[in-house]
PDB file of all heavy atoms in Angstrom:
ATOM      1  N   TYR A   1       0.915  -1.133   0.083  1.00  0.00           N
ATOM      2  CA  TYR A   1       0.018   0.029  -0.030  1.00  0.00           C
ATOM      3  C   TYR A   1       0.928   1.192   0.058  1.00  0.00           C
ATOM      4  O   TYR A   1       1.652   1.507   0.921  1.00  0.00           O
ATOM      5  CB  TYR A   1      -0.878  -0.067   1.234  1.00  0.00           C
ATOM      6  CG  TYR A   1      -2.033   1.015   1.377  1.00  0.00           C
ATOM      7  CD1 TYR A   1      -3.248   0.694   0.841  1.00  0.00           C
ATOM      8  CD2 TYR A   1      -1.820   2.260   1.817  1.00  0.00           C
ATOM      9  CE1 TYR A   1      -4.272   1.638   0.823  1.00  0.00           C
ATOM     10  CE2 TYR A   1      -2.837   3.216   1.851  1.00  0.00           C
ATOM     11  CZ  TYR A   1      -4.059   2.855   1.268  1.00  0.00           C
ATOM     12  OH  TYR A   1      -5.020   3.688   1.413  1.00  0.00           O
ATOM     13  N   ARG A   2       0.737   1.975  -1.151  1.00  0.00           N
ATOM     14  CA  ARG A   2       1.534   3.259  -1.103  1.00  0.00           C
ATOM     15  C   ARG A   2       0.559   4.515  -1.397  1.00  0.00           C
ATOM     16  O   ARG A   2      -0.103   4.468  -2.348  1.00  0.00           O
ATOM     17  CB  ARG A   2       2.545   3.247  -2.208  1.00  0.00           C
ATOM     18  CG  ARG A   2       3.745   2.282  -1.917  1.00  0.00           C
ATOM     19  CD  ARG A   2       5.024   2.709  -2.765  1.00  0.00           C
ATOM     20  NE  ARG A   2       5.956   1.713  -2.512  1.00  0.00           N
ATOM     21  CZ  ARG A   2       6.172   0.567  -3.317  1.00  0.00           C
ATOM     22  NH1 ARG A   2       5.261   0.309  -4.137  1.00  0.00           N
ATOM     23  NH2 ARG A   2       7.065  -0.267  -3.135  1.00  0.00           N
ATOM     24  N   LYS A   3       0.543   5.385  -0.397  1.00  0.00           N
ATOM     25  CA  LYS A   3      -0.295   6.373  -0.477  1.00  0.00           C
ATOM     26  C   LYS A   3      -0.274   7.169  -1.833  1.00  0.00           C
ATOM     27  O   LYS A   3      -1.300   7.585  -2.362  1.00  0.00           O
ATOM     28  CB  LYS A   3       0.015   7.457   0.688  1.00  0.00           C
ATOM     29  CG  LYS A   3      -0.489   6.970   1.911  1.00  0.00           C
ATOM     30  CD  LYS A   3      -1.134   8.094   2.818  1.00  0.00           C
ATOM     31  CE  LYS A   3      -2.035   7.712   4.024  1.00  0.00           C
ATOM     32  NZ  LYS A   3      -1.763   6.447   4.726  1.00  0.00           N
ATOM     33  N   ARG A   4       0.822   7.296  -2.424  1.00  0.00           N
ATOM     34  CA  ARG A   4       0.900   8.134  -3.607  1.00  0.00           C
ATOM     35  C   ARG A   4       0.166   7.404  -4.890  1.00  0.00           C
ATOM     36  O   ARG A   4      -0.041   8.010  -5.880  1.00  0.00           O
ATOM     37  CB  ARG A   4       2.341   8.454  -4.076  1.00  0.00           C
ATOM     38  CG  ARG A   4       3.139   7.155  -4.314  1.00  0.00           C
ATOM     39  CD  ARG A   4       4.667   7.571  -4.609  1.00  0.00           C
ATOM     40  NE  ARG A   4       5.481   6.371  -4.547  1.00  0.00           N
ATOM     41  CZ  ARG A   4       5.580   5.513  -5.436  1.00  0.00           C
ATOM     42  NH1 ARG A   4       4.927   5.534  -6.549  1.00  0.00           N
ATOM     43  NH2 ARG A   4       6.477   4.368  -5.274  1.00  0.00           N
ATOM     44  N   LYS A   5      -0.164   6.180  -4.702  1.00  0.00           N
ATOM     45  CA  LYS A   5      -0.806   5.570  -5.778  1.00  0.00           C
ATOM     46  C   LYS A   5      -2.291   5.002  -5.497  1.00  0.00           C
ATOM     47  O   LYS A   5      -2.921   4.326  -6.241  1.00  0.00           O
ATOM     48  CB  LYS A   5       0.049   4.390  -6.398  1.00  0.00           C
ATOM     49  CG  LYS A   5       0.379   3.236  -5.555  1.00  0.00           C
ATOM     50  CD  LYS A   5       1.121   2.237  -6.281  1.00  0.00           C
ATOM     51  CE  LYS A   5       1.170   0.910  -5.400  1.00  0.00           C
ATOM     52  NZ  LYS A   5       1.732  -0.212  -6.041  1.00  0.00           N
ATOM     53  N   VAL A   6      -2.644   5.319  -4.215  1.00  0.00           N
ATOM     54  CA  VAL A   6      -4.110   4.810  -3.961  1.00  0.00           C
ATOM     55  C   VAL A   6      -4.888   6.063  -3.603  1.00  0.00           C
ATOM     56  O   VAL A   6      -4.492   6.882  -2.696  1.00  0.00           O
ATOM     57  CB  VAL A   6      -4.005   3.917  -2.654  1.00  0.00           C
ATOM     58  CG1 VAL A   6      -5.424   3.441  -2.308  1.00  0.00           C
ATOM     59  CG2 VAL A   6      -3.174   2.653  -3.079  1.00  0.00           C
ATOM     60  N   PHE A   7      -6.053   6.292  -4.193  1.00  0.00           N
ATOM     61  CA  PHE A   7      -6.957   7.382  -3.979  1.00  0.00           C
ATOM     62  C   PHE A   7      -8.336   6.883  -3.633  1.00  0.00           C
ATOM     63  O   PHE A   7      -8.655   5.798  -4.074  1.00  0.00           O
ATOM     64  CB  PHE A   7      -7.042   8.231  -5.274  1.00  0.00           C
ATOM     65  CG  PHE A   7      -5.745   8.601  -5.766  1.00  0.00           C
ATOM     66  CD1 PHE A   7      -4.992   7.785  -6.794  1.00  0.00           C
ATOM     67  CD2 PHE A   7      -5.107   9.769  -5.480  1.00  0.00           C
ATOM     68  CE1 PHE A   7      -3.801   8.039  -7.132  1.00  0.00           C
ATOM     69  CE2 PHE A   7      -3.768  10.196  -5.986  1.00  0.00           C
ATOM     70  CZ  PHE A   7      -3.172   9.308  -6.865  1.00  0.00           C
ATOM     71  N   PHE A   8      -8.997   7.559  -2.708  1.00  0.00           N
ATOM     72  CA  PHE A   8     -10.341   7.138  -2.350  1.00  0.00           C
ATOM     73  C   PHE A   8     -11.289   8.127  -2.110  1.00  0.00           C
ATOM     74  O   PHE A   8     -11.081   9.294  -1.783  1.00  0.00           O
ATOM     75  CB  PHE A   8     -10.272   6.170  -1.112  1.00  0.00           C
ATOM     76  CG  PHE A   8      -9.556   6.698   0.077  1.00  0.00           C
ATOM     77  CD1 PHE A   8     -10.247   7.566   0.957  1.00  0.00           C
ATOM     78  CD2 PHE A   8      -8.179   6.451   0.181  1.00  0.00           C
ATOM     79  CE1 PHE A   8      -9.579   8.220   1.996  1.00  0.00           C
ATOM     80  CE2 PHE A   8      -7.629   7.039   1.406  1.00  0.00           C
ATOM     81  CZ  PHE A   8      -8.209   7.875   2.246  1.00  0.00           C
ATOM     82  N   GLY A   9     -12.605   7.833  -2.246  1.00  0.00           N
ATOM     83  CA  GLY A   9     -13.701   8.788  -2.008  1.00  0.00           C
ATOM     84  C   GLY A   9     -14.242   8.571  -0.619  1.00  0.00           C
ATOM     85  O   GLY A   9     -13.664   7.775   0.181  1.00  0.00           O
ATOM     86  N   THR A  10     -15.252   9.301  -0.258  1.00  0.00           N
ATOM     87  CA  THR A  10     -15.770   9.150   1.202  1.00  0.00           C
ATOM     88  C   THR A  10     -17.194   8.677   1.220  1.00  0.00           C
ATOM     89  O   THR A  10     -17.494   8.172   2.275  1.00  0.00           O
ATOM     90  CB  THR A  10     -15.697  10.569   1.847  1.00  0.00           C
ATOM     91  OG1 THR A  10     -16.412  11.577   1.045  1.00  0.00           O
ATOM     92  CG2 THR A  10     -14.376  11.014   2.057  1.00  0.00           C
ATOM     93  N   THR A  11     -17.928   8.757   0.099  1.00  0.00           N
ATOM     94  CA  THR A  11     -19.342   8.395   0.194  1.00  0.00           C
ATOM     95  C   THR A  11     -19.796   6.929  -0.117  1.00  0.00           C
ATOM     96  O   THR A  11     -20.777   6.510   0.087  1.00  0.00           O
ATOM     97  CB  THR A  11     -20.263   9.374  -0.623  1.00  0.00           C
ATOM     98  OG1 THR A  11     -19.777   9.240  -2.012  1.00  0.00           O
ATOM     99  CG2 THR A  11     -20.011  10.792  -0.239  1.00  0.00           C
ATOM    100  N   GLY A  12     -18.734   6.298  -0.869  1.00  0.00           N
ATOM    101  CA  GLY A  12     -19.140   4.988  -1.362  1.00  0.00           C
ATOM    102  C   GLY A  12     -19.785   4.944  -2.673  1.00  0.00           C
ATOM    103  O   GLY A  12     -20.022   3.984  -3.284  1.00  0.00           O
ATOM    104  N   LYS A  13     -19.857   6.304  -3.184  1.00  0.00           N
ATOM    105  CA  LYS A  13     -20.482   6.463  -4.591  1.00  0.00           C
ATOM    106  C   LYS A  13     -19.394   6.807  -5.578  1.00  0.00           C
ATOM    107  O   LYS A  13     -18.607   7.672  -5.230  1.00  0.00           O
ATOM    108  CB  LYS A  13     -21.665   7.463  -4.565  1.00  0.00           C
ATOM    109  CG  LYS A  13     -22.861   6.968  -3.744  1.00  0.00           C
ATOM    110  CD  LYS A  13     -24.074   7.826  -4.190  1.00  0.00           C
ATOM    111  CE  LYS A  13     -25.361   7.332  -3.639  1.00  0.00           C
ATOM    112  NZ  LYS A  13     -25.490   7.718  -2.193  1.00  0.00           N
ATOM    113  N   ILE A  14     -19.502   6.259  -6.782  1.00  0.00           N
ATOM    114  CA  ILE A  14     -18.490   6.608  -7.678  1.00  0.00           C
ATOM    115  C   ILE A  14     -18.402   8.095  -8.068  1.00  0.00           C
ATOM    116  O   ILE A  14     -17.452   8.792  -8.367  1.00  0.00           O
ATOM    117  CB  ILE A  14     -18.550   5.734  -9.063  1.00  0.00           C
ATOM    118  CG1 ILE A  14     -17.172   5.872  -9.819  1.00  0.00           C
ATOM    119  CG2 ILE A  14     -19.767   6.078  -9.847  1.00  0.00           C
ATOM    120  CD1 ILE A  14     -16.802   4.627 -10.452  1.00  0.00           C
ATOM    121  N   ASP A  15     -19.627   8.770  -8.052  1.00  0.00           N
ATOM    122  CA  ASP A  15     -19.721  10.229  -8.306  1.00  0.00           C
ATOM    123  C   ASP A  15     -18.639  11.038  -7.465  1.00  0.00           C
ATOM    124  O   ASP A  15     -18.153  12.103  -8.038  1.00  0.00           O
ATOM    125  CB  ASP A  15     -21.094  10.772  -7.992  1.00  0.00           C
ATOM    126  CG  ASP A  15     -22.231   9.877  -8.086  1.00  0.00           C
ATOM    127  OD1 ASP A  15     -21.961   8.662  -7.890  1.00  0.00           O
ATOM    128  OD2 ASP A  15     -23.401  10.329  -8.430  1.00  0.00           O
ATOM    129  N   ASP A  16     -18.579  10.549  -6.251  1.00  0.00           N
ATOM    130  CA  ASP A  16     -17.633  11.298  -5.282  1.00  0.00           C
ATOM    131  C   ASP A  16     -16.185  11.137  -5.636  1.00  0.00           C
ATOM    132  O   ASP A  16     -15.321  11.988  -5.302  1.00  0.00           O
ATOM    133  CB  ASP A  16     -17.913  10.725  -3.976  1.00  0.00           C
ATOM    134  CG  ASP A  16     -17.148  11.364  -2.833  1.00  0.00           C
ATOM    135  OD1 ASP A  16     -17.011  12.580  -2.802  1.00  0.00           O
ATOM    136  OD2 ASP A  16     -16.478  10.621  -2.110  1.00  0.00           O
ATOM    137  N   LEU A  17     -15.952  10.051  -6.356  1.00  0.00           N
ATOM    138  CA  LEU A  17     -14.584   9.815  -6.784  1.00  0.00           C
ATOM    139  C   LEU A  17     -14.124  10.437  -8.059  1.00  0.00           C
ATOM    140  O   LEU A  17     -12.939  10.634  -8.298  1.00  0.00           O
ATOM    141  CB  LEU A  17     -14.448   8.242  -6.863  1.00  0.00           C
ATOM    142  CG  LEU A  17     -13.022   7.581  -7.084  1.00  0.00           C
ATOM    143  CD1 LEU A  17     -12.184   7.900  -5.765  1.00  0.00           C
ATOM    144  CD2 LEU A  17     -13.310   6.004  -7.185  1.00  0.00           C
ATOM    145  N   ILE A  18     -15.095  10.865  -8.865  1.00  0.00           N
ATOM    146  CA  ILE A  18     -14.797  11.376 -10.222  1.00  0.00           C
ATOM    147  C   ILE A  18     -13.971  12.791 -10.210  1.00  0.00           C
ATOM    148  O   ILE A  18     -12.996  12.778 -10.924  1.00  0.00           O
ATOM    149  CB  ILE A  18     -16.038  11.593 -10.903  1.00  0.00           C
ATOM    150  CG1 ILE A  18     -16.406  10.169 -11.424  1.00  0.00           C
ATOM    151  CG2 ILE A  18     -15.891  12.431 -12.290  1.00  0.00           C
ATOM    152  CD1 ILE A  18     -17.747   9.972 -12.208  1.00  0.00           C
ATOM    153  N   PRO A  19     -14.223  13.666  -9.241  1.00  0.00           N
ATOM    154  CA  PRO A  19     -13.252  14.875  -9.214  1.00  0.00           C
ATOM    155  C   PRO A  19     -11.829  14.453  -9.074  1.00  0.00           C
ATOM    156  O   PRO A  19     -11.047  15.027  -9.642  1.00  0.00           O
ATOM    157  CB  PRO A  19     -13.836  15.621  -7.984  1.00  0.00           C
ATOM    158  CG  PRO A  19     -15.210  15.236  -7.887  1.00  0.00           C
ATOM    159  CD  PRO A  19     -15.325  13.724  -8.276  1.00  0.00           C
ATOM    160  N   THR A  20     -11.554  13.436  -8.269  1.00  0.00           N
ATOM    161  CA  THR A  20     -10.119  12.960  -8.019  1.00  0.00           C
ATOM    162  C   THR A  20      -9.546  12.386  -9.431  1.00  0.00           C
ATOM    163  O   THR A  20      -8.459  12.592  -9.767  1.00  0.00           O
ATOM    164  CB  THR A  20     -10.096  11.944  -6.952  1.00  0.00           C
ATOM    165  OG1 THR A  20     -10.789  12.436  -5.789  1.00  0.00           O
ATOM    166  CG2 THR A  20      -8.703  11.600  -6.550  1.00  0.00           C
ATOM    167  N   MET A  21     -10.461  11.657 -10.063  1.00  0.00           N
ATOM    168  CA  MET A  21     -10.057  10.827 -11.380  1.00  0.00           C
ATOM    169  C   MET A  21      -9.766  12.047 -12.410  1.00  0.00           C
ATOM    170  O   MET A  21      -8.850  11.969 -13.147  1.00  0.00           O
ATOM    171  CB  MET A  21     -11.151   9.950 -11.686  1.00  0.00           C
ATOM    172  CG  MET A  21     -11.218   8.820 -10.917  1.00  0.00           C
ATOM    173  SD  MET A  21     -12.700   7.705 -11.303  1.00  0.00           S
ATOM    174  CE  MET A  21     -12.392   7.153 -12.823  1.00  0.00           C
ATOM    175  N   VAL A  22     -10.518  13.163 -12.302  1.00  0.00           N
ATOM    176  CA  VAL A  22     -10.354  14.238 -13.362  1.00  0.00           C
ATOM    177  C   VAL A  22      -8.987  14.821 -13.111  1.00  0.00           C
ATOM    178  O   VAL A  22      -8.431  15.250 -14.101  1.00  0.00           O
ATOM    179  CB  VAL A  22     -11.542  15.126 -13.187  1.00  0.00           C
ATOM    180  CG1 VAL A  22     -11.209  16.478 -14.064  1.00  0.00           C
ATOM    181  CG2 VAL A  22     -12.887  14.549 -13.702  1.00  0.00           C
ATOM    182  N   LYS A  23      -8.595  15.003 -11.861  1.00  0.00           N
ATOM    183  CA  LYS A  23      -7.329  15.583 -11.593  1.00  0.00           C
ATOM    184  C   LYS A  23      -6.226  14.606 -12.190  1.00  0.00           C
ATOM    185  O   LYS A  23      -5.039  15.205 -12.432  1.00  0.00           O
ATOM    186  CB  LYS A  23      -7.025  15.649 -10.020  1.00  0.00           C
ATOM    187  CG  LYS A  23      -7.837  16.728  -9.384  1.00  0.00           C
ATOM    188  CD  LYS A  23      -7.521  16.858  -7.870  1.00  0.00           C
ATOM    189  CE  LYS A  23      -8.465  17.812  -7.219  1.00  0.00           C
ATOM    190  NZ  LYS A  23      -8.421  17.512  -5.721  1.00  0.00           N
ATOM    191  N   HIS A  24      -6.399  13.480 -12.452  1.00  0.00           N
ATOM    192  CA  HIS A  24      -5.531  12.518 -13.164  1.00  0.00           C
ATOM    193  C   HIS A  24      -5.995  12.104 -14.459  1.00  0.00           C
ATOM    194  O   HIS A  24      -6.005  10.943 -14.891  1.00  0.00           O
ATOM    195  CB  HIS A  24      -5.345  11.227 -12.232  1.00  0.00           C
ATOM    196  CG  HIS A  24      -4.835  11.561 -10.777  1.00  0.00           C
ATOM    197  ND1 HIS A  24      -3.462  11.421 -10.577  1.00  0.00           N
ATOM    198  CD2 HIS A  24      -5.519  11.966  -9.730  1.00  0.00           C
ATOM    199  CE1 HIS A  24      -3.357  11.830  -9.257  1.00  0.00           C
ATOM    200  NE2 HIS A  24      -4.441  12.134  -8.717  1.00  0.00           N
ATOM    201  N   LYS A  25      -6.327  13.143 -15.230  1.00  0.00           N
ATOM    202  CA  LYS A  25      -6.915  12.975 -16.632  1.00  0.00           C
ATOM    203  C   LYS A  25      -6.130  12.168 -17.581  1.00  0.00           C
ATOM    204  O   LYS A  25      -6.598  11.581 -18.475  1.00  0.00           O
ATOM    205  CB  LYS A  25      -7.143  14.367 -17.220  1.00  0.00           C
ATOM    206  CG  LYS A  25      -8.556  14.517 -17.777  1.00  0.00           C
ATOM    207  CD  LYS A  25      -8.791  15.888 -18.374  1.00  0.00           C
ATOM    208  CE  LYS A  25     -10.081  15.932 -19.132  1.00  0.00           C
ATOM    209  NZ  LYS A  25     -11.293  15.796 -18.502  1.00  0.00           N
ATOM    210  N   GLN A  26      -4.772  12.131 -17.375  1.00  0.00           N
ATOM    211  CA  GLN A  26      -3.944  11.401 -18.278  1.00  0.00           C
ATOM    212  C   GLN A  26      -3.960   9.965 -18.069  1.00  0.00           C
ATOM    213  O   GLN A  26      -3.515   9.061 -18.888  1.00  0.00           O
ATOM    214  CB  GLN A  26      -2.433  11.856 -18.038  1.00  0.00           C
ATOM    215  CG  GLN A  26      -1.688  11.376 -16.793  1.00  0.00           C
ATOM    216  CD  GLN A  26      -2.095  12.085 -15.422  1.00  0.00           C
ATOM    217  OE1 GLN A  26      -3.008  12.958 -15.464  1.00  0.00           O
ATOM    218  NE2 GLN A  26      -1.597  11.787 -14.403  1.00  0.00           N
ATOM    219  N   GLU A  27      -4.491   9.451 -16.956  1.00  0.00           N
ATOM    220  CA  GLU A  27      -4.597   8.022 -16.676  1.00  0.00           C
ATOM    221  C   GLU A  27      -5.553   7.220 -17.639  1.00  0.00           C
ATOM    222  O   GLU A  27      -6.486   7.943 -18.056  1.00  0.00           O
ATOM    223  CB  GLU A  27      -4.943   7.691 -15.233  1.00  0.00           C
ATOM    224  CG  GLU A  27      -4.157   8.375 -14.123  1.00  0.00           C
ATOM    225  CD  GLU A  27      -2.731   7.859 -14.163  1.00  0.00           C
ATOM    226  OE1 GLU A  27      -2.366   6.826 -14.729  1.00  0.00           O
ATOM    227  OE2 GLU A  27      -1.941   8.656 -13.497  1.00  0.00           O
TER     228      GLU A  27
END
């Protein structure tokens, strides 16, 4: 487990995770 490569949301819904994914648009 490395913090720099694991990201998570708080609500359990994918909608909540999308802003973080957008910050990593190149992935």
Side-chain angles (χ1 to χ4, degrees):
Y1 191 93
R2 289 201 183 88
K3 283 224 167 17
R4 64 184 162 79
K5 62 173 191 177
V6 180
F7 308 87
F8 52 85
T10 50
T11 62
K13 291 197 172 82
I14 198 150
D15 331 31
D16 179 48
L17 193 57
I18 286 176
T20 311
M21 291 169 71
V22 170
K23 284 180 190 163
H24 297 264
K25 227 180 168 76
Q26 74 287 359
E27 304 297 344

